[in-house]
Amino acid sequence: MHRVGVLALDGVVPFELGIPARIFGAARDGAGNRLYSVATCSLDGGPVRAEADYGLTVAHDASLLARVDTVVIAPSHALGPIRTEGRLPAALREALAAIRPGTRIVGICTATYVLAAAGLLDHRPATTHWRDAEHLQRMFTTVRIDPDVLFVDDGDICTSAGVAAGIDLCLHLVRRDHGSRTANDVARSCVVPPWRDGGQAQYIQRPVPDPTAEGTTPTRAWAMERLAEPLTLAELAAHANMSVRTFSRRFRDETGTTPGRWLIRQRVDLARHYLETTDWPVDLIAHHAGFGTGATLRQHLHATLGVGPQAYRRTFRPA
């Protein structure tokens, strides 16, 4: 069983603190057995002060982090010198230093500050809540902050944007560990979408659009039924009765990404579905998913997931 340890710091945000237990705790295998165990700790094993008007009692101290397979650091609104000076308190620095090599480390929302201050994000991609992205980048200039995405998976280090993006990241990790079918079951159990399109850009407040203007949702639905076809930006814009420039701008405003990147994401997800549920050869899957050739599918699967079609199928195709 995969062991998850969640670290709660003073000022912890209760909603995000509960996400790992809720998402990982809902993951089951075909026989109904739990796939993860989740335990929560504080630095000294004592109660922690929450952002809300109550405290939280935990069952473990930070030595837990040296015994688990995944460490999740919940966000806090009381980071003090971590946020203002980029400096870790001694107890937190020692707790992070004791994490075993190869352990997956996850930072939700402002916990990215903790990982950056620990030097774990030097020259690596990461994200955080869009309100903090600019400040985080100024504080830690070697970290490659992407303020537009919901989460960043960089292998052994993963970070998410704020609040519900922690759900997106934890679901992604279940999907990475056990495949889309298990992640979808978890999403249904928790009554959340298994995947949200776009990134944080769609949640940043913008001027209210013309109420008479039509959005790109109908065109996205139309495209989803035609992923196997070589859809062009001009065809998408024509379906929406917009110019290419207007369509591209409105699409990004609504989804947080470009039409081209959105299409690739949908096609990768469709290819993953075929790899998990069929015995089709890679070239046939590439054709049905809209990639044309197996080589193109391999390129995009590697870019998105870090593995090729055959390795993905060996991991996630049910026996």
Side-chain angles (χ1 to χ4, degrees), residues 188-236:
R188 281 191 290 269
S189 173
C190 297
V191 198
V192 295
W195 181 273
R196 287 194 293 167
D197 295 326
Q200 293 192 78
Q202 61 189 308
Y203 301 105
I204 300 173
Q205 188 173 7
R206 303 175 186 275
V208 177
D210 179 354
T212 63
E214 293 186 5
T216 63
T217 300
T219 297
R220 278 180 274 145
W222 176 81
M224 286 291 290
E225 298 176 355
R226 295 165 175 79
L227 291 177
E229 301 175 15
L231 299 171
T232 66
L233 179 58
E235 288 173 324
L236 295 171

Short mmCIF file of all heavy atoms in Angstrom, two decimals, residues 188-236:
data_model
loop_
_atom_site.label_atom_id
_atom_site.label_comp_id
_atom_site.label_asym_id
_atom_site.label_seq_id
_atom_site.Cartn_x
_atom_site.Cartn_y
_atom_site.Cartn_z
N ARG A 188 -15.86 10.33 -9.14
CA ARG A 188 -17.31 10.11 -8.99
C ARG A 188 -17.68 10.00 -7.51
O ARG A 188 -18.71 10.53 -7.07
CB ARG A 188 -17.74 8.87 -9.76
CG ARG A 188 -17.90 9.08 -11.26
CD ARG A 188 -18.58 7.90 -11.91
NE ARG A 188 -17.71 6.72 -11.92
CZ ARG A 188 -16.88 6.42 -12.90
NH1 ARG A 188 -16.80 7.21 -13.95
NH2 ARG A 188 -16.13 5.34 -12.84
N SER A 189 -16.86 9.28 -6.75
CA SER A 189 -17.13 9.13 -5.33
C SER A 189 -17.13 10.47 -4.60
O SER A 189 -17.93 10.71 -3.70
CB SER A 189 -16.09 8.20 -4.70
OG SER A 189 -16.20 8.15 -3.31
N CYS A 190 -16.22 11.36 -5.02
CA CYS A 190 -16.08 12.67 -4.36
C CYS A 190 -16.94 13.75 -5.02
O CYS A 190 -16.91 14.91 -4.59
CB CYS A 190 -14.62 13.10 -4.36
SG CYS A 190 -13.54 11.98 -3.41
N VAL A 191 -17.66 13.38 -6.08
CA VAL A 191 -18.56 14.30 -6.81
C VAL A 191 -17.77 15.52 -7.30
O VAL A 191 -18.14 16.67 -7.07
CB VAL A 191 -19.76 14.73 -5.94
CG1 VAL A 191 -20.88 15.29 -6.84
CG2 VAL A 191 -20.30 13.58 -5.10
N VAL A 192 -16.64 15.25 -7.96
CA VAL A 192 -15.84 16.30 -8.58
C VAL A 192 -15.49 15.85 -10.00
O VAL A 192 -15.51 14.65 -10.30
CB VAL A 192 -14.55 16.58 -7.79
CG1 VAL A 192 -14.88 17.13 -6.41
CG2 VAL A 192 -13.69 15.32 -7.67
N PRO A 193 -15.17 16.79 -10.90
CA PRO A 193 -14.77 16.38 -12.25
C PRO A 193 -13.44 15.67 -12.23
O PRO A 193 -12.53 16.06 -11.49
CB PRO A 193 -14.69 17.72 -13.01
CG PRO A 193 -14.46 18.75 -11.96
CD PRO A 193 -15.20 18.26 -10.75
N PRO A 194 -13.27 14.61 -13.03
CA PRO A 194 -12.00 13.88 -13.05
C PRO A 194 -10.87 14.69 -13.67
O PRO A 194 -9.71 14.42 -13.43
CB PRO A 194 -12.31 12.64 -13.88
CG PRO A 194 -13.48 13.02 -14.72
CD PRO A 194 -14.28 13.97 -13.90
N TRP A 195 -11.22 15.68 -14.48
CA TRP A 195 -10.21 16.52 -15.12
C TRP A 195 -10.85 17.85 -15.46
O TRP A 195 -11.96 17.89 -15.99
CB TRP A 195 -9.68 15.86 -16.40
CG TRP A 195 -8.62 16.68 -17.06
CD1 TRP A 195 -8.79 17.67 -17.98
CD2 TRP A 195 -7.21 16.58 -16.84
NE1 TRP A 195 -7.58 18.21 -18.33
CE2 TRP A 195 -6.59 17.55 -17.65
CE3 TRP A 195 -6.42 15.77 -16.03
CZ2 TRP A 195 -5.21 17.73 -17.67
CZ3 TRP A 195 -5.06 15.94 -16.06
CH2 TRP A 195 -4.46 16.90 -16.87
N ARG A 196 -10.16 18.95 -15.13
CA ARG A 196 -10.65 20.28 -15.51
C ARG A 196 -9.78 20.83 -16.63
O ARG A 196 -8.56 20.83 -16.53
CB ARG A 196 -10.61 21.23 -14.31
CG ARG A 196 -11.68 20.97 -13.29
CD ARG A 196 -11.82 22.14 -12.33
NE ARG A 196 -10.63 22.31 -11.49
CZ ARG A 196 -10.39 23.40 -10.76
NH1 ARG A 196 -11.23 24.42 -10.81
NH2 ARG A 196 -9.31 23.47 -10.00
N ASP A 197 -10.44 21.29 -17.69
CA ASP A 197 -9.70 21.87 -18.80
C ASP A 197 -9.11 23.21 -18.41
O ASP A 197 -9.64 23.93 -17.56
CB ASP A 197 -10.64 22.10 -20.01
CG ASP A 197 -11.16 20.79 -20.57
OD1 ASP A 197 -10.41 19.80 -20.52
OD2 ASP A 197 -12.31 20.77 -21.05
N GLY A 198 -8.02 23.56 -19.08
CA GLY A 198 -7.45 24.89 -18.91
C GLY A 198 -6.67 25.03 -17.63
O GLY A 198 -6.32 24.07 -16.95
N GLY A 199 -6.39 26.27 -17.27
CA GLY A 199 -5.58 26.54 -16.10
C GLY A 199 -6.16 27.64 -15.25
O GLY A 199 -7.36 27.94 -15.30
N GLN A 200 -5.31 28.29 -14.46
CA GLN A 200 -5.77 29.33 -13.54
C GLN A 200 -6.28 30.57 -14.25
O GLN A 200 -7.06 31.34 -13.68
CB GLN A 200 -4.62 29.74 -12.62
CG GLN A 200 -4.15 28.69 -11.65
CD GLN A 200 -3.23 29.27 -10.62
OE1 GLN A 200 -3.67 29.91 -9.68
NE2 GLN A 200 -1.94 29.06 -10.79
N ALA A 201 -5.81 30.78 -15.48
CA ALA A 201 -6.18 32.01 -16.17
C ALA A 201 -7.69 32.18 -16.27
O ALA A 201 -8.20 33.30 -16.27
CB ALA A 201 -5.56 32.02 -17.57
N GLN A 202 -8.41 31.07 -16.32
CA GLN A 202 -9.86 31.17 -16.46
C GLN A 202 -10.53 31.64 -15.16
O GLN A 202 -11.71 32.00 -15.16
CB GLN A 202 -10.44 29.82 -16.87
CG GLN A 202 -10.18 28.70 -15.88
CD GLN A 202 -10.56 27.35 -16.40
OE1 GLN A 202 -11.67 27.13 -16.87
NE2 GLN A 202 -9.63 26.39 -16.34
N TYR A 203 -9.78 31.67 -14.04
CA TYR A 203 -10.37 32.07 -12.76
C TYR A 203 -9.94 33.47 -12.31
O TYR A 203 -10.40 33.96 -11.29
CB TYR A 203 -10.00 31.05 -11.68
CG TYR A 203 -10.48 29.67 -12.03
CD1 TYR A 203 -9.60 28.71 -12.48
CD2 TYR A 203 -11.84 29.36 -11.98
CE1 TYR A 203 -10.04 27.44 -12.84
CE2 TYR A 203 -12.29 28.10 -12.35
CZ TYR A 203 -11.39 27.14 -12.78
OH TYR A 203 -11.83 25.91 -13.15
N ILE A 204 -9.05 34.09 -13.09
CA ILE A 204 -8.63 35.44 -12.76
C ILE A 204 -9.71 36.41 -13.22
O ILE A 204 -10.22 36.30 -14.33
CB ILE A 204 -7.29 35.78 -13.45
CG1 ILE A 204 -6.20 34.80 -12.97
CG2 ILE A 204 -6.87 37.21 -13.17
CD1 ILE A 204 -4.89 34.93 -13.70
N GLN A 205 -10.07 37.35 -12.36
CA GLN A 205 -11.16 38.27 -12.69
C GLN A 205 -10.78 39.12 -13.88
O GLN A 205 -9.71 39.71 -13.96
CB GLN A 205 -11.46 39.18 -11.49
CG GLN A 205 -12.70 40.03 -11.70
CD GLN A 205 -13.08 40.78 -10.44
OE1 GLN A 205 -12.36 40.77 -9.46
NE2 GLN A 205 -14.21 41.44 -10.47
N ARG A 206 -11.71 39.20 -14.84
CA ARG A 206 -11.50 39.96 -16.06
C ARG A 206 -12.75 40.80 -16.33
O ARG A 206 -13.81 40.56 -15.75
CB ARG A 206 -11.26 39.02 -17.25
CG ARG A 206 -10.07 38.08 -17.05
CD ARG A 206 -9.95 37.11 -18.21
NE ARG A 206 -8.92 36.11 -17.96
CZ ARG A 206 -7.63 36.29 -18.21
NH1 ARG A 206 -7.22 37.45 -18.70
NH2 ARG A 206 -6.75 35.34 -17.96
N PRO A 207 -12.64 41.79 -17.23
CA PRO A 207 -13.82 42.55 -17.59
C PRO A 207 -14.94 41.63 -18.07
O PRO A 207 -14.69 40.63 -18.75
CB PRO A 207 -13.33 43.47 -18.71
CG PRO A 207 -11.87 43.60 -18.47
CD PRO A 207 -11.43 42.27 -17.91
N VAL A 208 -16.17 41.95 -17.70
CA VAL A 208 -17.31 41.12 -18.10
C VAL A 208 -17.50 41.21 -19.61
O VAL A 208 -17.54 42.31 -20.17
CB VAL A 208 -18.60 41.60 -17.40
CG1 VAL A 208 -19.79 40.79 -17.86
CG2 VAL A 208 -18.43 41.50 -15.89
N PRO A 209 -17.58 40.08 -20.34
CA PRO A 209 -17.73 40.14 -21.78
C PRO A 209 -19.12 40.61 -22.18
O PRO A 209 -20.04 40.65 -21.37
CB PRO A 209 -17.51 38.67 -22.20
CG PRO A 209 -17.89 37.88 -21.00
CD PRO A 209 -17.51 38.71 -19.82
N ASP A 210 -19.22 40.95 -23.44
CA ASP A 210 -20.51 41.38 -24.00
C ASP A 210 -21.52 40.27 -23.77
O ASP A 210 -21.33 39.13 -24.21
CB ASP A 210 -20.33 41.63 -25.49
CG ASP A 210 -21.63 42.07 -26.17
OD1 ASP A 210 -22.68 42.06 -25.50
OD2 ASP A 210 -21.57 42.42 -27.35
N PRO A 211 -22.63 40.53 -23.04
CA PRO A 211 -23.59 39.47 -22.73
C PRO A 211 -24.25 38.87 -23.96
O PRO A 211 -24.81 37.78 -23.90
CB PRO A 211 -24.62 40.18 -21.84
CG PRO A 211 -24.48 41.62 -22.16
CD PRO A 211 -23.03 41.83 -22.48
N THR A 212 -24.18 39.57 -25.09
CA THR A 212 -24.80 39.04 -26.31
C THR A 212 -23.83 38.12 -27.08
O THR A 212 -24.22 37.48 -28.04
CB THR A 212 -25.25 40.18 -27.23
OG1 THR A 212 -24.08 40.93 -27.65
CG2 THR A 212 -26.20 41.11 -26.51
N ALA A 213 -22.57 38.13 -26.66
CA ALA A 213 -21.58 37.34 -27.38
C ALA A 213 -21.67 35.88 -26.99
O ALA A 213 -21.88 35.54 -25.83
CB ALA A 213 -20.17 37.87 -27.08
N GLU A 214 -21.50 35.00 -27.95
CA GLU A 214 -21.53 33.57 -27.70
C GLU A 214 -20.12 33.11 -27.32
O GLU A 214 -19.12 33.62 -27.83
CB GLU A 214 -22.01 32.81 -28.93
CG GLU A 214 -23.48 33.08 -29.27
CD GLU A 214 -23.93 32.20 -30.42
OE1 GLU A 214 -23.13 31.35 -30.86
OE2 GLU A 214 -25.08 32.37 -30.85
N GLY A 215 -20.04 32.15 -26.42
CA GLY A 215 -18.76 31.62 -26.01
C GLY A 215 -18.27 30.51 -26.91
O GLY A 215 -18.87 30.22 -27.96
N THR A 216 -17.19 29.86 -26.47
CA THR A 216 -16.60 28.79 -27.28
C THR A 216 -17.04 27.41 -26.84
O THR A 216 -16.59 26.42 -27.40
CB THR A 216 -15.06 28.88 -27.20
OG1 THR A 216 -14.64 28.66 -25.85
CG2 THR A 216 -14.57 30.25 -27.66
N THR A 217 -17.91 27.33 -25.83
CA THR A 217 -18.33 26.02 -25.32
C THR A 217 -18.96 25.14 -26.40
O THR A 217 -18.60 23.95 -26.51
CB THR A 217 -19.31 26.19 -24.14
OG1 THR A 217 -18.67 26.92 -23.10
CG2 THR A 217 -19.76 24.83 -23.61
N PRO A 218 -19.90 25.64 -27.22
CA PRO A 218 -20.46 24.78 -28.27
C PRO A 218 -19.40 24.26 -29.23
O PRO A 218 -19.47 23.11 -29.68
CB PRO A 218 -21.48 25.69 -28.98
CG PRO A 218 -21.83 26.73 -27.97
CD PRO A 218 -20.56 26.97 -27.20
N THR A 219 -18.41 25.09 -29.53
CA THR A 219 -17.36 24.65 -30.46
C THR A 219 -16.48 23.59 -29.81
O THR A 219 -16.04 22.64 -30.47
CB THR A 219 -16.52 25.85 -30.91
OG1 THR A 219 -17.36 26.75 -31.62
CG2 THR A 219 -15.37 25.42 -31.80
N ARG A 220 -16.22 23.72 -28.52
CA ARG A 220 -15.44 22.69 -27.84
C ARG A 220 -16.19 21.35 -27.85
O ARG A 220 -15.60 20.30 -28.06
CB ARG A 220 -15.12 23.12 -26.41
CG ARG A 220 -13.92 24.03 -26.31
CD ARG A 220 -13.64 24.45 -24.90
NE ARG A 220 -14.42 25.61 -24.50
CZ ARG A 220 -14.91 25.82 -23.29
NH1 ARG A 220 -14.74 24.92 -22.35
NH2 ARG A 220 -15.58 26.91 -23.02
N ALA A 221 -17.50 21.40 -27.62
CA ALA A 221 -18.31 20.17 -27.67
C ALA A 221 -18.29 19.58 -29.08
O ALA A 221 -18.19 18.35 -29.25
CB ALA A 221 -19.74 20.49 -27.24
N TRP A 222 -18.38 20.43 -30.07
CA TRP A 222 -18.33 19.99 -31.47
C TRP A 222 -16.98 19.34 -31.77
O TRP A 222 -16.91 18.29 -32.42
CB TRP A 222 -18.57 21.21 -32.36
CG TRP A 222 -18.46 20.97 -33.84
CD1 TRP A 222 -19.40 20.43 -34.66
CD2 TRP A 222 -17.33 21.29 -34.66
NE1 TRP A 222 -18.93 20.39 -35.95
CE2 TRP A 222 -17.67 20.91 -35.99
CE3 TRP A 222 -16.09 21.87 -34.42
CZ2 TRP A 222 -16.79 21.10 -37.05
CZ3 TRP A 222 -15.21 22.04 -35.48
CH2 TRP A 222 -15.56 21.66 -36.78
N ALA A 223 -15.90 19.94 -31.31
CA ALA A 223 -14.57 19.40 -31.57
C ALA A 223 -14.36 18.07 -30.87
O ALA A 223 -13.68 17.17 -31.41
CB ALA A 223 -13.51 20.41 -31.11
N MET A 224 -14.92 17.91 -29.65
CA MET A 224 -14.76 16.65 -28.91
C MET A 224 -15.32 15.47 -29.69
O MET A 224 -14.84 14.34 -29.54
CB MET A 224 -15.44 16.76 -27.55
CG MET A 224 -14.70 17.62 -26.55
SD MET A 224 -13.15 16.89 -25.98
CE MET A 224 -13.76 15.53 -24.99
N GLU A 225 -16.32 15.70 -30.52
CA GLU A 225 -16.90 14.63 -31.33
C GLU A 225 -16.12 14.37 -32.60
O GLU A 225 -16.43 13.44 -33.35
CB GLU A 225 -18.34 14.98 -31.68
CG GLU A 225 -19.25 15.13 -30.46
CD GLU A 225 -20.65 15.57 -30.83
OE1 GLU A 225 -20.88 15.85 -32.03
OE2 GLU A 225 -21.51 15.64 -29.94
N ARG A 226 -15.09 15.18 -32.86
CA ARG A 226 -14.34 15.09 -34.12
C ARG A 226 -12.83 15.07 -33.87
O ARG A 226 -12.06 15.56 -34.69
CB ARG A 226 -14.71 16.27 -35.03
CG ARG A 226 -16.15 16.24 -35.47
CD ARG A 226 -16.60 17.58 -36.05
NE ARG A 226 -17.95 17.49 -36.59
CZ ARG A 226 -19.06 17.53 -35.84
NH1 ARG A 226 -18.95 17.68 -34.52
NH2 ARG A 226 -20.24 17.42 -36.38
N LEU A 227 -12.40 14.52 -32.75
CA LEU A 227 -10.97 14.54 -32.42
C LEU A 227 -10.13 13.77 -33.42
O LEU A 227 -8.94 14.06 -33.60
CB LEU A 227 -10.75 13.99 -31.01
CG LEU A 227 -11.28 14.84 -29.85
CD1 LEU A 227 -11.04 14.13 -28.53
CD2 LEU A 227 -10.60 16.21 -29.85
N ALA A 228 -10.71 12.80 -34.09
CA ALA A 228 -9.95 12.01 -35.06
C ALA A 228 -9.69 12.80 -36.34
O ALA A 228 -8.83 12.42 -37.14
CB ALA A 228 -10.70 10.72 -35.40
N GLU A 229 -10.39 13.90 -36.54
CA GLU A 229 -10.24 14.70 -37.74
C GLU A 229 -9.14 15.75 -37.55
O GLU A 229 -8.90 16.22 -36.43
CB GLU A 229 -11.56 15.39 -38.08
CG GLU A 229 -12.72 14.42 -38.31
CD GLU A 229 -14.04 15.14 -38.52
OE1 GLU A 229 -14.01 16.37 -38.79
OE2 GLU A 229 -15.09 14.48 -38.41
N PRO A 230 -8.48 16.16 -38.64
CA PRO A 230 -7.41 17.17 -38.55
C PRO A 230 -7.98 18.58 -38.43
O PRO A 230 -7.95 19.38 -39.36
CB PRO A 230 -6.64 16.98 -39.85
CG PRO A 230 -7.65 16.47 -40.82
CD PRO A 230 -8.60 15.61 -40.00
N LEU A 231 -8.51 18.90 -37.25
CA LEU A 231 -9.16 20.20 -37.04
C LEU A 231 -8.13 21.32 -37.05
O LEU A 231 -7.08 21.23 -36.43
CB LEU A 231 -9.90 20.19 -35.69
CG LEU A 231 -11.01 19.15 -35.55
CD1 LEU A 231 -11.50 19.12 -34.11
CD2 LEU A 231 -12.16 19.47 -36.49
N THR A 232 -8.47 22.40 -37.74
CA THR A 232 -7.59 23.56 -37.79
C THR A 232 -8.20 24.70 -36.97
O THR A 232 -9.40 24.70 -36.68
CB THR A 232 -7.39 24.05 -39.23
OG1 THR A 232 -8.64 24.55 -39.74
CG2 THR A 232 -6.88 22.92 -40.12
N LEU A 233 -7.36 25.65 -36.63
CA LEU A 233 -7.84 26.81 -35.89
C LEU A 233 -8.89 27.57 -36.70
O LEU A 233 -9.89 28.04 -36.14
CB LEU A 233 -6.66 27.73 -35.55
CG LEU A 233 -6.99 29.02 -34.79
CD1 LEU A 233 -7.70 28.72 -33.47
CD2 LEU A 233 -5.70 29.81 -34.53
N ALA A 234 -8.69 27.65 -38.01
CA ALA A 234 -9.66 28.35 -38.85
C ALA A 234 -11.01 27.65 -38.84
O ALA A 234 -12.07 28.30 -38.81
CB ALA A 234 -9.12 28.44 -40.28
N GLU A 235 -11.00 26.30 -38.82
CA GLU A 235 -12.26 25.55 -38.78
C GLU A 235 -12.98 25.76 -37.45
O GLU A 235 -14.20 25.91 -37.41
CB GLU A 235 -11.99 24.07 -39.02
CG GLU A 235 -11.60 23.74 -40.45
CD GLU A 235 -11.17 22.29 -40.61
OE1 GLU A 235 -10.52 21.76 -39.67
OE2 GLU A 235 -11.47 21.70 -41.65
N LEU A 236 -12.23 25.78 -36.36
CA LEU A 236 -12.84 26.01 -35.05
C LEU A 236 -13.45 27.40 -34.98
O LEU A 236 -14.57 27.59 -34.49
CB LEU A 236 -11.79 25.83 -33.95
CG LEU A 236 -11.20 24.43 -33.77
CD1 LEU A 236 -10.03 24.48 -32.80
CD2 LEU A 236 -12.25 23.45 -33.30
#
